[in-house]
Amino acid sequence: MNLPTALDRLPHLLNADLHCHSTVSDGTLAPEALAARAKANGVELWALTDHDEIGGQRRARDAALREGLAYLTGCEISISFAGETVHIIGLGFDADDAALAAGLARTRGGREARAREMAAGLAQVGIPGAFEGALPFVGNPELISRTHFARFLVERGVCADTNEVFRRFLTEGKPGYVPHRWAALGDAVRWITAAGGVAVIAHPARYKFTPTEEYALFTEFKAHGGRGVEVITGSHSATEAVKYAAMALEFDLLASRGSDFHSPDESRIDLGTLPDLPGTLTPVWQALPERVQWPA
Ligand code: AMP
Ligand code: MN
Ligand code: MN
Ligand code: MN
């Protein structure tokens, strides 16, 4: 099956949204609600990319196809690189791949112990019961994340919004922050590519790297078989998009586009409402025509 004719000629203008989160990780909408919202917002190609988890893929794909929306499988893997947490997006993999599922299960493994340590840190600054308080916000018991703690602290009235919670409590050096060792870069890239997918560096402007560390990330990512970078994302300013468009060309990487939508109440950028990809770049979906699942 081909892209619609106009988009065949101008593939960078496809309204693709290849990054968002459901209740299966730290989003507040179910996969079905996200599919409906994507469709209503004019998305033409969609991927659900829950953190370290592909348990929502079947629901997302079925809902997308019911909505008449083309679908790519997706996930967002947490890795540790040069002392920072980096996110690697996987797109178009086989969602039944056993090695990918096992790698993701290992990556999720430390989250509960980490969450209990986070709660202990918060208790020390006068916020008791945060583990139990965060639980009602958690949709997947294997995926308790900082976002769920943030929602609890907003509900408790400690902070006005989740951004304030992250700034005051959940980022490095703050009382609820617990450093964590995630997957290795090479492992994450290999799990995705061995399952037939394409690995993409998520929101590169978000990492606090020196230019040398960033160069190392891009170089090692490519050496492991990584092929793409998010250029247009809800996390990038216009200036950052220009910078990473240049990086995509310099490193010969495919370009991706995704809102990183989590919630109607929290996300600045809604599904399908991002700027277009620059026409000088090769969209990641052009490399995945056989992996796109089309509605009947
Ligand atoms: P975790 O995987 O538990 O470390 O949680 C990471 C998630 O926290 C990210 O995927 C975002 O959804 C959210 N997050 C990280 N930093 C911020 C921030 N400054 N403001 C709001 N949400 C954030
Ligand atoms: Mn998140
Ligand atoms: Mn991310
Ligand atoms: Mn994300």
Side-chain angles (χ1 to χ4, degrees):
M1 171 90 84
N2 291 315
L3 298 173
T5 316
L7 298 169
D8 237 358
R9 278 182 276 121
L10 299 168
H12 66 284
L13 297 185
L14 186 75
N15 191 345
D17 194 324
L18 306 181
H19 187 158
C20 68
H21 300 274
S22 76
T23 46
V24 173
S25 63
D26 62 348
T28 63
L29 299 183
E32 292 79 9
L34 286 169
R37 193 178 184 96
K39 180 68 182 178
N41 287 359
V43 172
E44 295 165 289
L45 175 64
W46 178 53
L48 172 66
T49 55
D50 278 312
H51 296 287
D52 307 325
E53 173 67 277
I54 53 176
Q57 289 304 303
R58 186 173 297 271
R59 286 172 65 188
R61 184 207 55 196
D62 290 352
L65 300 186
R66 271 199 308 276
E67 297 282 351
L69 195 53
Y71 190 74
L72 275 172
T73 53
C75 65
E76 181 175 21
I77 306 182
S78 313
I79 67 140
S80 297
F81 185 87
E84 274 278 318
T85 297
V86 167
H87 288 167
I88 301 295
I89 297 280
L91 295 171
F93 49 79
D94 170 7
D96 295 321
D97 186 87
L100 172 63
L104 293 177
R106 271 206 308 286
T107 307
R108 290 194 297 276
R111 278 185 180 268
E112 181 175 336
R114 170 190 186 235
R116 290 189 188 279
E117 270 190 71
M118 288 170 58
L122 291 169
Q124 284 193 344
V125 295
I127 306 168
F131 183 84
E132 294 73 19
L135 280 185
F137 293 92
V138 174
N140 173 353
E142 288 185 32
L143 221 117
I144 179 162
S145 86
R146 285 186 290 163
T147 316
H148 302 113
F149 281 84
R151 292 185 184 135
F152 165 65
L153 292 198
V154 171
E155 180 199 59
R156 180 62 83 80
V158 176
C159 294
D161 57 41
T162 53
N163 277 327
E164 184 189 337
V165 183
F166 274 90
R167 192 160 37 77
R168 287 176 53 196
F169 295 102
L170 298 182
T171 41
E172 203 170 341
K174 300 299 160 63
Y177 182 77
V178 174
H180 195 73
R181 183 71 175 267
W182 301 106
L185 172 64
D187 288 340
V189 172
R190 274 186 295 277
W191 297 334
I192 295 163
T193 50
V198 165
V200 175
I201 298 173
H203 44 59
R206 285 248 302 257
Y207 313 123
K208 295 184 193 72
F209 286 141
T210 63
T212 307
E213 288 167 336
E214 183 177 70
Y215 190 87
L217 171 67
F218 276 66
T219 306
E220 290 183 34
F221 172 74
K222 278 212 73 160
H224 289 300
R227 292 181 61 198
V229 60
E230 278 187 339
V231 173
I232 302 294
T233 115
S235 301
H236 283 178
S237 67
T239 311
E240 288 164 346
V242 169
K243 172 182 173 183
Y244 289 99
M247 292 276 278
L249 291 173
E250 179 185 349
F251 283 87
D252 193 22
L253 289 167
L254 301 161
S256 193
R257 177 178 189 264
S259 57
D260 206 358
F261 180 80
H262 282 70
S263 160
D265 303 323
E266 294 163 15
S267 296
R268 278 180 308 118
I269 306 284
D270 205 338
L271 284 160
T273 65
L274 293 160
D276 293 326
L277 269 189
T280 46
L281 305 179
T282 307
V284 67
W285 47 91
Q286 269 197 297
L288 290 163
E290 275 88 52
R291 312 300 298 182
V292 176
Q293 303 179 68
W294 298 91

